[in-house]
Amino acid sequence: MKITVAGEKKEYADGTTVAQLIVAEDVETPQYVSVSVNDEFVQTDDFDTTELKDGDEVEFLYFMGGGAFALGETR
Amino acid sequence: MAFTNEQLERYSRHIILKEVGVKGQKKLMEAKVLIIGAGGLGAPAALYLAAAGVGTIGIADADTVDISNLQRQVIHSTPDVGKSKVESAKESMLAINPEITVNTYRKFVLAKNVMELIADYDFIIDGTDNFPAKFLINDACVLAGKPFSHAGIIRFKGQLMTYVPGEGPCYRCVFKEPPPPDAVPTCREAGVIGAMGGVIGSLQAMEAVKYIIGKGKLLTGSLMTYDALTMEFRKIKLPHRHDCAVCGDHATITEPFDYEQAACELN
Ligand SMILES: [Zn+2]
């Protein structure tokens, strides 16, 4: 299936979950990332069970403080 | 309020714009903006809003100027090292534009003082560098019905969003809770390119100006992200979270509260 991840079109296996995508995309602070699919937030507790579908648009939203924080990097 | 000749000259590049004009400039001169944090983000925002003639600008920061601030906090100069940041900021702002009023608050913004602090202002700019403060400012602004601009910067990246009551999600809709203090392994500097504060802090000033003059489209319901290494700006649509603890259908937060923060974040 083709999905759009942070604005980029990508090919992923059918049935890929949000949790699997987070690993595959090498998201650095996975426990603190917010995820939206087709402009709806996915609850953190549902990352494991939410399967993505062809054409889905996924966005990762990262914590970003000021210059004194190490959080918020994607990779 | 009639303009003096000097004002007509000072603000001529604003007044000539059809979106601003005499009417918009008047609105700017009557507006009150509070900037929380006189650092990397607050510095450019404060300078541009002062130059724009925003009539009353409040600036809150408990800190003193350190030499390590000068790489990005362009409102402070080398002779200001050791001086309180709000005093140093006020001097720079008044040097640019002696017509405006600058209110200084040399204090940490906490649950006990945030409501009183924001009460007199039309728009708030969050230029803080830590998550407890960001959530506190969000909650206070949602509860008080005040529009504000949120921003964060790190390394070569920055992002910002605008909250306007009734017009989209709040910061807590997006991020729910601050990460626990121990989620950050150390408080060592991750570093940030100085110009990043200039880019994102100026965009915050831009949002404040647009809100005041009532023109254009604000970053409500959107998070703008900027990556300096790839030179990409993105505007990500932000959904509203109906179960948001402060702005949702069954909000549980009814007054501002402080989150615990690591001691080394307090400087
Ligand atoms: Zn909310």
Side-chain angles (χ1 to χ4, degrees):
Chain A
M1 64 175 181
K2 279 198 175 55
I3 57 173
T4 307
V5 183
E8 263 183 69
K9 290 227 183 320
K10 296 199 172 175
E11 185 71 43
Y12 270 95
D14 288 356
T16 301
T17 64
V18 168
Q20 287 166 339
L21 185 72
I22 286 172
V23 173
E25 290 289 320
D26 202 16
V27 170
E28 201 182 275
T29 51
Q31 63 274 51
Y32 304 117
V33 76
S34 289
V35 179
S36 78
V37 177
N38 305 329
D39 301 330
E40 286 295 332
F41 284 117
V42 180
Q43 302 285 359
T44 310
D45 292 343
D46 298 336
F47 284 0
D48 281 326
T49 53
T50 304
E51 290 188 7
L52 297 163
K53 301 178 305 294
D54 190 57
D56 276 353
E57 293 185 11
V58 185
E59 293 286 357
F60 297 122
L61 301 147
Y62 299 97
F63 272 114
M64 211 176 273
F69 271 82
L71 278 176
E73 281 297 276
T74 53
R75 54 184 65 93
Chain B
M1 178 173 63
F3 285 79
T4 63
N5 283 341
E6 193 193 307
Q7 286 174 326
L8 288 172
E9 268 188 66
R10 179 184 283 274
Y11 303 120
S12 60
R13 304 301 193 276
H14 271 170
I15 292 169
I16 204 166
L17 294 167
K18 72 170 184 346
E19 292 84 355
V20 185
V22 168
K23 231 171 116 188
Q25 187 59 45
K26 233 177 222 178
K27 284 183 186 167
L28 288 168
M29 289 158 76
E30 284 162 4
K32 296 179 169 188
V33 176
L34 175 68
I35 299 166
I36 305 178
L41 292 163
L47 291 175
Y48 276 111
L49 294 178
V54 169
T56 306
I57 303 176
I59 187 140
D61 200 309
D63 223 351
T64 52
V65 179
D66 184 86
I67 193 160
S68 65
N69 300 148
L70 302 180
Q71 162 261 14
R72 63 198 177 285
Q73 301 177 14
V74 293
I75 203 165
H76 313 299
S77 303
T78 305
D80 297 325
V81 169
K83 208 184 273 181
S84 96
K85 280 192 176 176
V86 291
E87 275 312 312
S88 163
K90 181 179 177 174
E91 285 169 18
S92 302
M93 290 155 79
L94 291 178
I96 292 177
N97 193 346
E99 285 198 339
I100 62 166
T101 302
V102 178
N103 299 327
T104 58
Y105 308 95
R106 190 178 179 180
K107 53 175 84 166
F108 290 110
V109 177
L110 297 165
K112 64 176 187 212
N113 60 22
V114 67
M115 294 307 268
E116 197 189 328
L117 206 53
I118 66 175
D120 283 341
Y121 292 92
D122 308 315
F123 192 93
I124 289 95
I125 289 183
D126 170 11
T128 64
D129 65 355
N130 66 85
F131 300 110
K134 291 186 179 303
F135 277 86
L136 176 69
I137 292 165
N138 178 75
D139 293 351
C141 287
V142 170
L143 293 169
K146 299 274 184 186
F148 79 101
S149 164
H150 155 86
I153 50 173
I154 198 163
R155 296 181 185 147
F156 286 87
K157 290 183 179 174
Q159 62 186 28
L160 75 158
M161 64 177 278
T162 302
Y163 170 80
V164 175
E167 290 182 31
C170 77
Y171 178 67
R172 195 182 276 282
C173 284
V174 186
F175 293 110
K176 282 183 109 169
E177 297 239 291
D182 60 8
V184 187
T186 65
C187 283
R188 80 190 155 77
E189 287 274 327
V192 64
I193 288 292
M196 185 56 74
V199 172
I200 304 296
S202 300
L203 288 174
Q204 290 188 282
M206 191 69 84
E207 288 288 272
V209 167
K210 279 157 53 197
Y211 175 81
I212 293 162
I213 64 172
K215 297 288 174 188
K217 203 168 150 11
L218 297 167
L219 285 171
T220 47
S222 302
L223 182 78
M224 173 155 276
T225 65
Y226 171 56
D227 184 332
L229 293 177
T230 58
M231 240 15 204
E232 273 178 320
F233 275 98
R234 293 192 66 229
K235 205 169 144 182
I236 302 168
K237 200 171 161 203
L238 294 178
H240 180 250
R241 211 189 277 267
H242 295 284
D243 61 349
C244 175
V246 70
C247 83
D249 301 335
H250 306 284
T252 51
I253 297 169
T254 53
E255 55 185 78
F257 65 98
D258 296 312
Y259 284 100
E260 179 195 345
Q261 56 188 332
C264 54
E265 287 161 27
L266 279 170
N267 52 36

